[in-house]
Amino acid sequence: MSEIESNFSPERELSPEQIEALVEFLREIPLFAELRTTDLEALVTIAHSELFTAGGELYHQSEGDNTLYIIQSGQVGLTHIDPQGAPNDVGTRAAGAWLGESSLLLGEPHDVTVHALDKVEAITFSRKEFKEL
């Protein structure tokens, strides 16, 4: 994350170099790979950066925060609580992975709890801003 400043948001201006680096990062995400550069630049205008310490929770199962998370650095663990209340580890995700697309696109609650296994930097998009764009 050398060129992309941590803790950016639409309210905080990025340099042209930082915008370019973020556009190139998003271009590598399969969810956005087919978008034109101008579309990626528009996405950058609504992007937020969030930092999570090891053990921190990105989101909780059954909550609907209407947010898409793209892991920029670090690793997260996914846990699903079954109907009997037992937690089940269902995998990990690392840089380049995205989570919460059904929450962003459909407004559905999350189907797993996601927590940081180490320091995690994530780019987030909110449903409200995404729909307006």
Side-chain angles (χ1 to χ4, degrees):
M1 208 180 96
S2 57
E3 302 235 4
I4 304 171
E5 185 174 328
S6 296
N7 291 322
F8 60 85
S9 69
E11 299 81 33
R12 189 168 176 192
E13 266 191 59
L14 296 175
S15 71
E17 294 80 18
Q18 291 168 320
I19 291 170
E20 183 179 336
L22 186 52
V23 164
E24 290 309 311
F25 175 77
L26 292 176
R27 187 183 314 281
E28 297 300 316
I29 305 302
L31 188 63
F32 301 127
E34 299 299 318
L35 294 178
R36 297 177 305 225
T37 299
T38 54
D39 296 330
L40 292 169
E41 289 169 344
L43 276 176
V44 168
T45 68
I46 63 166
H48 297 266
S49 176
E50 295 193 38
L51 302 173
F52 301 90
T53 58
E57 192 173 277
L58 281 72
Y59 59 78
H60 194 77
Q61 180 177 327
S62 77
E63 290 180 355
D65 68 357
N66 296 325
T67 302
L68 173 71
Y69 296 78
I70 300 173
I71 307 303
Q72 193 169 18
S73 67
Q75 189 171 11
V76 297
L78 287 65
T79 304
H80 181 267
I81 306 298
D82 69 21
Q84 291 73 36
N88 298 294
D89 290 331
V90 292
T92 60
R93 301 289 186 277
W98 67 90
L99 306 151
E101 62 273 15
S102 62
S103 186
L104 175 81
L105 299 173
L106 304 173
E108 294 180 352
H110 297 293
D111 57 357
V112 295
T113 296
V114 177
H115 57 278
L117 297 176
D118 51 19
K119 179 182 173 188
V120 169
E121 296 179 71
I123 298 170
T124 63
F125 296 96
S126 79
R127 178 175 170 79
K128 180 181 181 294
E129 292 172 325
F130 194 81
K131 285 179 67 176
E132 288 172 0
L133 180 65

